[in-house]
Amino acid sequence: GEEVAQTPKHLVRGEGQKAKLYCAPIKGHSYVFWYQQVLKNEFKFLISFQNENVFDETGMPKERFSAKCLPNSPCSLEIQATKLEDSAVYFCASSQSGNRDGPYGYTFGSGTRLTVV
Amino acid sequence: AQTVTQSQPEMSVQEAETVTLSCTYDTSESDYYLFWYKQPPSRQMILVIRQEAYKQQNATENRFSVNFQKAAKSFSLKISDSQLGDAAMYFCAYRSAYNNDMRFGAGTRLTVKP
């Protein structure tokens, strides 16, 4: 499809519970990115994939966060043992590679709002 | 690491007037792309305009244009004939041509007064 589909739109978890978010990138886009947007609106980069391979994971809190992009499946972002500070909107974006002949911007999904109570 | 700075947390403009949003960035790379994204209350991120660093000509998209000053590492967005629907958060973003990662500024909240 021509949109990045993120599910669920809203997710509520008790502190310590697991949260799993999904993202179906646009078909043909080889890059997938996850960002965390907290209430202050700042976008924090988490992780990027080139196809099913992790491209850059410098933003991931590795103790509790993990992510996968497997062939023929939606990408996923999983948070083990959620904390109150994990409450945020998590955006997924996909893109073709940045080259001079193709699109350079990201196409964003509509986000998943995670609330940890 | 690249950083993107938006020094104006909030801006206000009268309907039909022109407003300029500022953005500066820091990089040692020679090849990159710059973007402005709009985020309305719906939270959907909408690409407004983009600029390739190797192009000297400033990008324009209808009422939106940029002033790209590569030496100064400045990338401001000008919105002409502002409309009520332009009210949103605006994010400046830098994308490396080498690793494709995108970095965002902290955002500028634009209010349009009728």
Side-chain angles (χ1 to χ4, degrees), chain A residues 23-93:
Chain A
C23 168
I26 290 175
K27 196 173 180 181
H29 281 190
S30 52
Y31 287 88
V32 172
F33 306 83
W34 285 98
Y35 287 85
Q36 179 194 56
Q37 187 180 35
V38 295
L39 287 178
K40 285 196 311 181
N41 294 310
E42 180 182 343
F43 275 88
K44 180 189 173 188
F45 169 76
L46 294 176
I47 191 169
S48 62
F49 289 85
Q50 183 177 11
N51 299 311
E52 62 266 25
N53 303 308
V54 174
F55 193 76
D56 182 350
E57 57 181 347
T58 52
M60 285 285 270
K62 292 181 183 174
E63 315 83 54
R64 299 181 297 109
F65 284 59
S66 63
K68 292 179 187 177
C69 274
L70 300 175
N72 303 314
S73 297
C75 296
S76 63
L77 176 69
E78 189 167 328
I79 308 172
Q80 303 285 342
T82 53
K83 297 182 177 181
L84 295 176
E85 69 228 38
D86 297 332
S87 294
V89 180
Y90 290 83
F91 283 96
C92 173

Side-chain angles (χ1 to χ4, degrees), chain A residues 31 33 35 37-39 41 43 45 48 55-56 58 89 91 95-100 103-106 108-110 113, chain B residues 31 33 35 37 39 42-47 50 52 54-55 89 91 95 97-106 109:
Chain A
Y31 287 88
F33 306 83
Y35 287 85
Q37 187 180 35
V38 295
L39 287 178
N41 294 310
F43 275 88
F45 169 76
S48 62
F55 193 76
D56 182 350
T58 52
V89 180
F91 283 96
S95 173
Q96 296 180 9
S97 64
N99 63 67
R100 295 183 177 189
Y104 317 108
Y106 292 5
F108 282 84
S110 54
R113 182 182 292 277
Chain B
D31 200 6
Y33 313 107
F35 305 85
Y37 280 89
Q39 189 180 42
S42 67
R43 289 268 184 177
Q44 182 68 46
M45 289 288 280
I46 302 164
L47 177 64
R50 64 187 181 209
E52 295 93 324
Y54 65 88
K55 287 188 178 177
M89 284 290 292
F91 291 93
R95 181 176 186 182
Y98 302 99
N99 64 19
N100 288 301
D101 285 353
M102 191 176 286
R103 297 291 183 262
F104 291 86
R109 183 175 300 281

Side-chain angles (χ1 to χ4, degrees), chain B residues 13-18 80-83 112-113:
Chain B
V13 64
Q14 204 71 35
E15 196 176 4
E17 298 287 301
T18 296
S80 304
D81 185 26
S82 297
Q83 300 176 359
V112 181
K113 297 179 180 177

Side-chain angles (χ1 to χ4, degrees), chain A residues 10-19 81-88 113-117:
Chain A
H10 302 279
L11 189 59
V12 180
R13 286 290 178 265
E15 210 173 356
Q17 290 186 316
K18 184 173 74 175
T82 53
K83 297 182 177 181
L84 295 176
E85 69 228 38
D86 297 332
S87 294
R113 182 182 292 277
L114 172 65
T115 303
V116 181
V117 297

